[in-house]
Structure formats: structure tokens, C-alpha cells
């Protein structure tokens, strides 16, 4: 199947983190809706709309997309969509809690290689990840010099 690049593994881990945060937000909203019913959701929507600096209709598309992103709402059909579609999407999601900002990848004392080792250690035990090999830029350069005979 080939090896995955470091960037691919990092992107997949970030996606898993975001999916987990979105799932937690969904669970919290579901629990709140079950506890308080539809009235509390409507009240939360009104409170969310009232807390905004300006009405949704006066916001730019970029601002509307930001409101969706910070609440973990995925909008596959938002690219190129009419602004009115985005306004309705935000209006339906404004009651959701804001997710904490994603953690930035901070290199530890050993730099990129050490953080990659940490990532690979976390992946061990996952199905299909037993014999994964990751090659760095230096490894690939060495293989190029040997016409990839070391594979």
C-alpha cells in the first residue's frame, strides 16, 4: 500500500481531533435539548443572535463561515453558496456552544522528529498500522542516491 507522508498522518490526527470535538459539542447540545426541550433551544438561538455584534444579514460571508467553524458545523455545500443559505445555516446553529480553538502543533525539545515519533506511538495498536513505515526527507534523498534499491 506504500507509506504515508508525515503531513498525511498529521492531517489525519487533526481531523480526528476536530471530529471528536464536534461529537462532544453534538452530545452536549443533544443533552441540553433533551433536558430543556425545544423551548430552551429557541431561547439559546435568540440569546446567540442577540450576542452578535451585528445582524447576520449584515455580516460578510467570511464572518458567517467563521461562526459555523467555531461551532464545529461542517458545511459541504457552503462553498459558492448564496449568502442567504449561509445566514440560515448560521441561524440554525447559533445556539451551539463554541468549540475551543484547535491546539497548535508545538514542537517539543527534539523538534519535528520527536513529535512524529509521538504521533506514531499513538497510532500503534490501531488496525492496519502495525507495519507502517515513515520516511523523512533525508531518508528519501538517500534512497534517491541509491536509485531506491534499499526498499
Amino acid at each position: 500500500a506504500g507509506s504515508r507522508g508525515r503531513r498525511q498522518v498529521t492531517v489525519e490526527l487533526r481531523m480526528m481531533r476536530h471530529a471528536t470535538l464536534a461529537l462532544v459539542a453534538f452530545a452536549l447540545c443533544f443533552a441540553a435539548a433533551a433536558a430543556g426541550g425545544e423551548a430552551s433551544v429557541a431561547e439559546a438561538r435568540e440569546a446567540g443572535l442577540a450576542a452578535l455584534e451585528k445582524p447576520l444579514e449584515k455580516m460578510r460571508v467570511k464572518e458567517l463561515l467563521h461562526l459555523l467553524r467555531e461551532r464545529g458545523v461542517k458545511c459541504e455545500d457552503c462553498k459558492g453558496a448564496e449568502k442567504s443559505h449561509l445566514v440560515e445555516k448560521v441561524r440554525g446553529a447559533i445556539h451551539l456552544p463554541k468549540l475551543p480553538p484547535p491546539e497548535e502543533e508545538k514542537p517539543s525539545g527534539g523538534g519535528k522528529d520527536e513529535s512524529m515519533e509521538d504521533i506514531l506511538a499513538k497510532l500503534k495498536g490501531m488496525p492496519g498500522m502495525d507495519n507502517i513505515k515513515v520516511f523523512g526527507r533525508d531518508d528519501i534523498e538517500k534512497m534517491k542516491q541509491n536509485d531506491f534499491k534499499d526498499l
Side-chain angles (χ1 to χ4, degrees):
S3 65
R4 294 184 189 179
R6 291 179 185 194
R7 186 179 187 119
Q8 178 74 23
V9 172
T10 303
V11 168
E12 289 176 3
L13 285 174
R14 284 183 184 155
M15 289 173 50
M16 286 190 290
R17 245 188 248 136
H18 291 294
T20 302
L21 289 173
L23 185 59
V24 168
F26 175 78
L28 289 172
C29 290
F30 184 78
E38 286 297 317
S40 66
V41 172
E43 290 170 5
R45 275 197 186 112
E46 290 302 317
L49 290 170
L52 296 174
E53 294 177 15
K54 56 186 171 183
L56 293 176
E57 292 78 10
K58 295 198 178 201
M59 289 187 174
R60 294 176 175 221
V61 169
K62 188 175 182 178
E63 294 171 303
L64 294 170
L65 290 172
H66 177 72
L67 288 173
L68 290 173
R69 264 193 313 276
E70 72 182 359
R71 285 164 175 78
V73 176
K74 301 282 185 203
C75 188
E76 302 297 328
D77 56 340
C78 287
K79 285 191 177 182
E82 293 288 325
K83 184 177 173 182
S84 59
H85 172 73
L86 290 173
V87 168
E88 288 308 311
K89 191 87 167 169
V90 171
R91 196 178 305 278
I94 198 69
H95 68 285
L96 297 174
K98 292 182 182 178
L99 299 177
E103 295 177 16
E104 292 295 319
E105 294 291 322
K106 296 178 184 174
S108 55
K112 290 182 182 179
D113 290 333
E114 185 176 318
S115 63
M116 183 53 59
E117 291 300 319
D118 292 341
I119 292 171
L120 291 174
K122 292 175 186 174
L123 291 176
K124 284 187 179 178
M126 288 181 68
M129 299 303 241
D130 331 358
N131 298 320
I132 188 169
K133 292 182 183 178
V134 177
F135 298 104
R137 181 173 284 146
D138 297 334
D139 299 327
I140 294 172
E141 289 299 319
K142 287 178 187 175
M143 286 187 259
K144 281 182 183 178
Q145 292 172 356
N146 294 330
D147 294 323
F148 295 98
K149 292 178 184 172
D150 295 339
L151 290 178

